[in-house]
Amino acid sequence: MKAIILAESYAEKESMDEINLVAKQISEIPEINEIIVVTNQNHVNRFDEWASNLKCTKQISILSDGSLLPEDSLGEVGEIYFAICNKEIKEDILVVSGECYKPSSLEDACKFFTEKNHDTVCIQTIQSKMPSRFIPVLDDDNILMSIERKQSIVPSDIIMSDICFFKAETLPMFDRYMYEGSNRYIYEGNTMNAIGSFIQWLCGEKDVYAYM
């Protein structure tokens, strides 16, 4: 299994402790054989230096998507697709973005993913008010029925955490999502390439489980 870290939100100096925490948790997952960090051209040297100093037993690869300005960004789904193509990935993947809200145990989430043998997204409750976020709608078996966008999040709301596990057979569907088009995207500004929009589309195509 490959782990893909979407690192743009980790690029500032004060966020490096957070990516260290995420990398440490990923390194503790036996199934992971490589950590792939996707960043932009402005920050690639910083992450090259970070990787060279990181004490980690996993292979680490740093990829630049070539963008220099925010408006040139590929977006979350575009960066995942870029990593899949660049590394020619044909196995299960774990995706972690900069808005993962300090995961409690990625290893436990990976065990859930392996047990269910289905694509899995991590969800969580929050402790304070937040702005607009994606809200999962689940059935009794914790299978995603849909994703909704709520404008004001309050404590006890369940939100998407931008930590996802995808089966190898799902990876070609990133190509479908980006190039076929669909009327099931969650559009709000330029959110077509947000993970939540892709998950909403995906759960209309196949079963996707949620892990708390």
Side-chain angles (χ1 to χ4, degrees):
M1 184 188 300
K2 307 289 187 189
I4 301 174
I5 300 177
L6 308 182
E8 190 165 343
S9 297
Y10 292 120
E12 300 306 321
K13 186 175 180 180
E14 58 270 20
S15 298
M16 298 308 286
D17 287 344
E18 295 181 15
I19 194 173
N20 286 337
L21 172 64
V22 170
K24 180 178 183 298
Q25 288 210 27
I26 292 174
S27 69
E28 294 170 352
I29 301 175
E31 293 85 351
I32 299 293
N33 54 55
E34 182 179 7
I35 300 173
I36 301 164
V37 177
V38 183
T39 185
N40 59 37
Q41 194 60 34
N42 293 317
H43 300 302
V44 65
N45 290 338
R46 175 176 296 173
F47 283 106
D48 280 334
E49 181 180 0
W50 167 81
S52 66
N53 294 321
L54 186 68
K55 295 179 180 179
C56 180
T57 59
K58 309 293 186 182
Q59 177 183 343
I60 300 180
S61 300
I62 309 297
L63 300 181
S64 168
D65 65 8
S67 65
L68 292 170
L69 301 173
E71 54 265 33
D72 297 327
S73 171
L74 300 179
E76 293 171 332
V77 178
E79 289 175 350
I80 296 167
Y81 182 63
F82 170 74
I84 292 169
C85 295
N86 185 280
K87 300 292 289 186
E88 298 182 348
I89 301 174
K90 301 184 186 301
E91 58 191 291
D92 298 347
I93 61 172
L94 158 64
V95 176
V96 180
S97 86
E99 293 194 342
C100 62
Y101 304 109
K102 297 181 180 179
S104 56
S105 176
L106 289 179
E107 188 172 6
D108 287 347
C110 186
K111 290 177 181 177
F112 178 90
F113 165 67
T114 301
E115 175 188 330
K116 295 298 184 183
N117 198 33
H118 279 79
D119 300 327
T120 298
V121 300
C122 294
I123 61 176
Q124 65 185 93
T125 56
I126 54 109
Q127 304 302 317
S128 58
K129 290 184 178 180
M130 296 178 62
S132 175
R133 290 289 301 179
F134 292 129
I135 302 294
V137 179
L138 310 176
D139 69 8
D140 293 338
D141 295 320
N142 271 12
I143 296 176
L144 282 171
M145 303 300 293
S146 64
I147 306 289
E148 299 175 355
R149 181 176 280 277
K150 186 174 179 182
Q151 296 301 322
S152 180
I153 310 302
V154 298
S156 79
D157 277 342
I158 296 175
I159 64 169
M160 304 282 292
S161 70
D162 291 350
I163 300 172
C164 310
F165 294 83
F166 298 107
K167 298 293 295 179
E169 56 265 31
T170 300
L171 303 192
M173 299 181 76
F174 282 91
D175 183 273
R176 279 187 54 203
Y177 174 80
M178 295 184 67
Y179 293 105
E180 284 187 4
S182 171
N183 60 7
R184 285 181 281 170
Y185 298 142
I186 301 175
Y187 283 116
E188 182 178 293
N190 185 26
T191 64
M192 189 186 81
N193 278 340
I195 292 177
S197 291
F198 174 74
I199 295 297
Q200 187 202 38
W201 175 84
L202 185 64
C203 70
E205 299 288 321
K206 59 187 301 193
D207 285 346
V208 179
Y209 277 83
Y211 174 76
M212 178 67 76

